[in-house]
Amino acid sequence: MRSNLDNLTTIRNLGILAHVDAGKTTVTERILYATGTTHKRGEVHDGTTVTDFDPQERDRGITIFAAAVSCAWDGHRVNLIDTPGHVDFADEVERSLRVLDGAVAVFDAVAGVEPQSESVWRQADRHGVPRIAFVNKMDRAGADLDAAVASIRDRLHPVPLVVHLPIGTEDGFRGVVDLVRMRALTWDEDAEDAVEGPVPEELLDEARRRRRTLEEAVAELHTGALDEFCMRSTVSTGTLVAALRELTHSGDGVVVLCGSAYRNRGIEPLLDAVVAYLPSPVDVPPVHGVQETEDGIRNPAAPERSADPRAPFAALAFKVHATPTGRLTYLRVYSGTIEKGDTVWDATARRTERIGRILRVQADRHAPLERATAGDIVAVVGLKSTRAGATLCAPDAPIVLEPPNVADPVVSVAVEARRTGDTERLATALARLAEEDPSLVVRTDPETGQTVLSGMGELHLEVAVEKIRRDHGLEVGIGRPRVAHRETVVHGVTGHVHRHVKQDGGAGQFAHVVLDVEPLHAEPGGTGFAFRSTVVGGRVPQEYVRAVEAGCRDALAEGPLAGHPVTGIRVTLTDGATHVKDSSEMAFRTAGRAALLGALRASAMAVLEPVAEVTVTVPEDAVGGVLGDLAARRGRVTDSAVRGGAGVVTATVPMAELFGYATRLRGRTQGRGTFTARPTGYAPAPVSASAR
C-alpha cells in the first residue's frame, strides 16, 4: 500500500523567492530544522547552511545555484527549492519556477519590496505560480509589517490578505497573533516550539479590528465568503481558510505572514500556511505539450498530461549538475511513474536514455529511491546527453513540454588558458559549464579567434570563471568584459526595391520585392522585430511572403554599422512580382535577406547598448558621493529617498559602466554600501560604441 506521503494531494512543490539578503536561505534552513530534516540550525554567516553548499556560496554568503531539498510536515511531503536572489542568477529562478506549483516570497520587514523582489514576482506571474508572502526580519530595528504590506500592494499589485499581527516590535518581537484562528503564538528566547495561548489583552481590540478587515477583504474577492458575511456579518474560520486557499490558487489574493527566521519565530505557522493554502500537483492544471506546425503556429490539439501516476510518463529536466561521482539531472515528474533501469525517450534530443538511479535530493546529499511518480521532484543518474529544458517521456507516448525561457546574455569576457597545454581542458570545462547553466554562452570570435564567455552580469561571469579554476584546476586569464550591443533604425526608408535574378543553367531563380523599413518604437532603445505584408491581388503568394519574412530575419544577424544584431524595426512588404517558372521560396528568402540588408544600409542607424536599473543602498552621508559617481558613469538618477535610516538611490546606468562598480562602492562606503542591477533593455550608445 502506498504511504500517505506518496498521495499526490499531500505533496507541495514550492520555491523560496526573494531579493538578495532578504533571508530566504535562513528561512529554508529553519524549515529543514523545524521539520526534523536537520538537527542543527545552519547559518549563512557561519557557512554551515545545507542549501548553500557550494564553496563559492559559502565564501560569498549568497545563494548562487538553486538547491532542492525534501522534508515532511504534518503528513505532507514538501519538495523545496531555494533560489538565488541576485539578478545575475535570475535564470536559475526561471528554471525553478517552471517546475514549481507554489512559492513563498520572502520580504525584508525594513526594506519591503526591493528591486529583485519585483523581478522574481513578475517571473512567478509569468508562470502562474501561486504565492504566499512571508515578511521576515521582524526583530530588526525599523521593522514595520504595515509598511512592508503597503509596498507589496503598491509595487506588486496583489491584494494582500494579512493573517498575522506581530506581538512585540523590533528586538522585542516574540510572536504573532494568528488572525484566522484568533490565537497567540509566542516563542521564548531559547525555545524551539511555539507556545499557543489566548490573544494578549492589550492586543485584543487591534486583533479583532484586523480580523474584521481580513474578513471584509476576503468577502470582496470570494463569493462563498461574501454570502456568509452577508448572512452572519462575519466569516467562520472554516470558510475563511477555504476562501484563502482558493484566492491563493487563483492569484486574486496573497496571504501575508510575518516572523523572524533567524530567531526561529514564525516558521511553524509558515509551514502550516504552505500546507493549507498552496496547491498540490492535482490542484494545478494539466501540463500541455508544445507542437508547432510548419508556419510556426501552435497546435491547439497538442497532448496534455495530468498528475496521474498511471498516465504515460512525462517529465521536464530543469537542472543539470556535474559532480565528481557522475552527472545529476533534476526532473519534475508531471505524470506517470519511472523506476530505475527504465528506458525513456528524450523528446527534445530525439534519442533514448536509460535511468540508472533515482535519488531524493537533500541539497548535496541524496537518498536512493526505487521509483518516482507524478508530482515528484527528483534527481536521476545515467542520462548521457539530456540538457536542461529537455522533455523525458514514455517512448510509446511522446510529448514535448515547453522548456524554461533562457535570457539572452548581456555581458562577455574573453577567456584563455594561461598554459598552452591547457587549451583543450579549458574547452571541455567551458562546454560542461554551458551544459549546466544554459544562460552561459561560449563562442569563438571569428575575427580575433578568442574564446568568448557571455552571461547575465559581471558577478555571473566571475562565478563561472572561479568554478573553472576550482573544479578543474585550471589557470584562466580573462579580458575586460564586453557588453552585447545592438543596432536599430532611427529613420527608415520606403519603397526599397530588390530584384533577385539568377540564370546559370537549369531552373532559374526570380524574386522581386519592395520593402518599407521603419522603427518599431517611437524612441530608440526598444527591441523586437515585426513583419507584415500589405501586398494585394496575390502578386506575392502567401508561401513566398513567409519566405521573405524568413530572409529578413536572416538579415538581422549583422547590422551595417558594426556587425551587431539588429532589433527594434518593423518591415512591411508592400509589393513584389513572381515568375511562372523561376520563382521559389528559396529565391524569395534570398531576396528578402538582400532587400533588408540594402534597406538598412540606406537607413539612418544607431547603436544601442544594454542598460540596467541600479538601486544603491548606502549610509545617508554617502549619498552625495554615490550620485556623483553614477553621473560619471553616464547614469540617469530616477529616484532618491531615505528608508530605514539609509539612502536609497535608483538610476538607469549603461551595463558597460558597471564593471568594477561593486569594488568602487565598497571602497566609497567602507563596505557598508550595497547595490543591485536589473537589466531593463537598451538605450542609444555613444558614437564610440559603434566599434566592435
Side-chain angles (χ1 to χ4, degrees):
M1 180 181 290
R2 294 161 59 198
S3 70
N4 189 41
L5 287 178
D6 289 329
N7 190 320
L8 290 180
T9 61
T10 63
I11 293 177
R12 298 292 183 271
N13 294 316
L14 71 140
I16 307 293
L17 311 175
H19 182 90
V20 65
D21 288 336
K24 59 186 167 34
T25 297
T26 303
V27 169
T28 304
E29 293 297 319
R30 297 303 184 265
I31 287 175
L32 296 179
Y33 184 74
T35 56
T37 308
T38 60
H39 303 290
K40 183 180 179 182
R41 301 176 191 173
E43 305 294 353
V44 174
H45 56 272
D46 291 338
T48 57
T49 56
V50 172
T51 53
D52 286 354
F53 58 86
D54 186 88
Q56 286 202 73
E57 294 178 310
R58 294 186 169 178
D59 290 349
R60 298 172 186 269
I62 61 172
T63 300
I64 296 173
F65 309 105
V69 291
S70 185
C71 56
W73 180 257
D74 193 24
H76 291 70
R77 167 69 60 191
V78 179
N79 297 318
L80 189 153
I81 297 180
D82 179 23
T83 64
H86 198 287
V87 67
D88 279 24
F89 309 106
D91 203 60
E92 286 275 327
V93 181
E94 183 74 17
R95 292 197 299 275
S96 300
L97 281 170
R98 174 63 182 81
V99 300
L100 295 174
D101 301 325
V104 175
V106 180
F107 301 94
D108 187 309
V110 178
V113 175
E114 298 174 89
Q116 187 61 5
S117 308
E118 291 189 63
S119 296
V120 295
W121 191 273
R122 304 298 174 220
Q123 285 178 287
D125 279 343
R126 268 202 323 275
H127 290 281
V129 176
R131 280 141 281 172
I132 59 177
F134 182 69
V135 179
N136 191 27
K137 302 187 178 183
M138 287 297 298
D139 57 329
R140 279 187 60 193
D144 188 333
L145 176 61
D146 291 339
V149 170
S151 70
I152 292 172
R153 180 188 298 107
D154 296 341
R155 300 185 66 175
L156 304 180
H157 311 299
V159 177
L161 304 170
V162 184
V163 298
H164 278 176
L165 169 65
I167 300 175
T169 59
E170 300 181 348
D171 192 53
F173 173 76
R174 58 188 182 89
V176 297
V177 174
D178 176 0
L179 298 175
V180 175
R181 293 174 174 81
M182 289 302 287
R183 58 178 180 166
L185 299 171
T186 56
W187 289 264
D188 294 333
E189 193 60 42
D190 298 320
E192 296 180 357
D193 299 320
V195 176
E196 183 177 340
V199 179
E201 191 67 32
E202 66 274 15
L203 291 177
L204 192 55
D205 289 344
E206 179 66 10
R208 287 170 176 163
R209 184 185 70 80
R210 292 189 179 231
R211 165 65 185 239
R212 181 74 175 182
T213 300
L214 175 63
E215 290 177 0
E216 292 172 350
V218 169
E220 287 183 7
L221 300 170
H222 189 273
T223 304
L226 177 62
D227 291 343
E228 186 171 315
F229 187 81
C230 291
M231 290 177 59
R232 302 172 49 189
S233 197
T234 187
V235 179
S236 67
T237 298
T239 301
L240 193 58
V241 170
L244 289 171
R245 178 177 174 82
E246 291 181 25
L247 293 173
T248 300
H249 289 195
S250 67
D252 293 326
V254 57
V255 173
V256 181
L257 306 94
C258 68
S260 168
Y262 179 70
R263 296 173 73 173
N264 207 42
R265 296 175 182 177
I267 298 302
E268 295 96 328
L270 175 61
L271 282 164
D272 290 338
V274 165
V275 168
Y277 305 129
L278 290 180
S280 72
V282 297
D283 295 322
V284 298
V287 63
H288 288 264
V290 178
Q291 288 184 344
E292 293 187 355
T293 58
E294 290 184 359
D295 56 2
I297 299 175
R298 289 193 176 182
N299 179 7
E304 65 178 32
R305 296 284 187 271
S306 58
D308 183 352
R310 297 164 298 181
F313 171 70
L316 187 72
F318 66 96
K319 183 179 175 67
V320 174
H321 179 52
T323 71
T325 57
R327 186 176 184 267
L328 287 178
T329 305
Y330 290 76
L331 303 180
R332 162 65 195 267
V333 182
Y334 283 99
S335 66
T337 302
I338 52 166
E339 298 184 356
K340 63 179 183 178
D342 282 354
T343 297
V344 296
W345 176 250
D346 184 334
T348 306
R350 303 190 64 79
R351 57 167 291 169
T352 57
E353 293 273 14
R354 183 177 178 277
I355 305 294
R357 288 186 294 152
I358 304 173
L359 304 172
R360 177 79 67 198
V361 182
Q362 296 287 20
D364 60 339
R365 295 175 290 117
H366 313 98
L369 295 173
E370 289 298 316
R371 65 182 58 83
T373 62
D376 270 334
I377 291 179
V378 295
V380 297
V381 179
L383 306 185
K384 295 180 179 179
S385 60
T386 298
R387 306 290 295 268
T391 299
L392 298 178
C393 57
D396 58 350
I399 185 173
V400 178
L401 304 179
E402 185 170 2
N405 291 326
V406 179
D408 293 329
V410 296
V411 180
S412 302
V413 290
V415 294
E416 62 178 8
R418 294 194 182 276
R419 294 191 294 267
T420 306
D422 288 342
T423 302
E424 289 189 12
R425 288 180 60 206
L426 175 61
T428 301
L430 287 169
R432 180 174 293 180
L433 203 63
E435 182 180 344
E436 291 188 26
D437 185 352
S439 61
L440 288 169
V441 176
V442 182
R443 64 180 178 85
T444 301
D445 190 299
E447 292 189 3
T448 65
Q450 289 179 307
T451 300
V452 178
L453 178 65
S454 303
M456 301 307 299
E458 190 177 6
L459 179 60
H460 189 204
L461 296 179
E462 186 181 315
V463 166
V465 171
E466 183 62 24
K467 187 173 177 64
I468 291 174
R469 289 172 176 155
R470 293 191 183 199
D471 294 357
H472 300 273
L474 290 169
E475 287 297 320
V476 181
I478 60 173
R480 176 177 170 80
R482 297 181 302 166
V483 298
H485 289 91
R486 297 288 185 267
E487 295 180 25
T488 193
V489 171
V490 179
H491 298 292
V493 295
T494 58
H496 184 83
V497 179
H498 182 80
R499 188 180 180 88
H500 174 66
V501 180
K502 187 176 181 181
Q503 190 74 51
D504 53 2
Q509 293 187 28
F510 178 89
H512 178 89
V513 298
V514 183
L515 301 180
D516 289 352
V517 177
E518 60 185 328
L520 183 59
H521 307 276
E523 295 294 330
T527 58
F529 170 73
F531 180 90
R532 63 183 177 181
S533 171
T534 59
V535 178
V536 295
R539 291 176 59 81
V540 180
Q542 191 59 38
E543 62 268 24
Y544 294 165
V545 171
R546 290 196 294 267
V548 173
E549 179 180 358
C552 290
R553 291 186 182 276
D554 294 342
L556 299 177
E558 292 190 15
L561 291 181
H564 303 303
V566 178
T567 190
I569 69 169
R570 184 192 307 278
V571 176
T572 305
L573 176 64
T574 60
D575 200 1
T578 62
H579 186 278
V580 66
K581 291 183 177 180
D582 294 343
S583 289
S584 65
E585 290 187 23
M586 180 183 295
F588 271 89
R589 182 166 185 159
T590 302
R593 181 179 185 278
L596 182 53
L597 288 174
L600 292 176
R601 285 192 290 269
S603 300
M605 303 288 293
V607 171
L608 304 175
E609 62 180 346
V611 295
E613 181 186 76
V614 177
T615 302
V616 187
T617 304
V618 295
E620 284 188 73
D621 58 3
V623 169
V626 167
L627 292 172
D629 192 31
L630 289 174
R633 295 172 184 269
R634 298 190 286 126
R636 181 172 56 85
V637 176
T638 57
D639 186 39
S640 181
V642 176
R643 300 176 196 160
V648 181
V649 178
T650 304
T652 301
V653 185
M655 291 284 288
E657 300 292 344
L658 289 175
F659 301 130
Y661 184 59
T663 303
R664 175 82 170 178
L665 182 64
R666 284 194 294 266
R668 279 184 171 273
T669 61
Q670 291 78 48
R672 294 181 294 165
T674 61
F675 85 101
T676 59
R678 180 170 61 93
T680 55
Y682 287 81
V687 176
S688 59
S690 62
R692 274 187 182 268

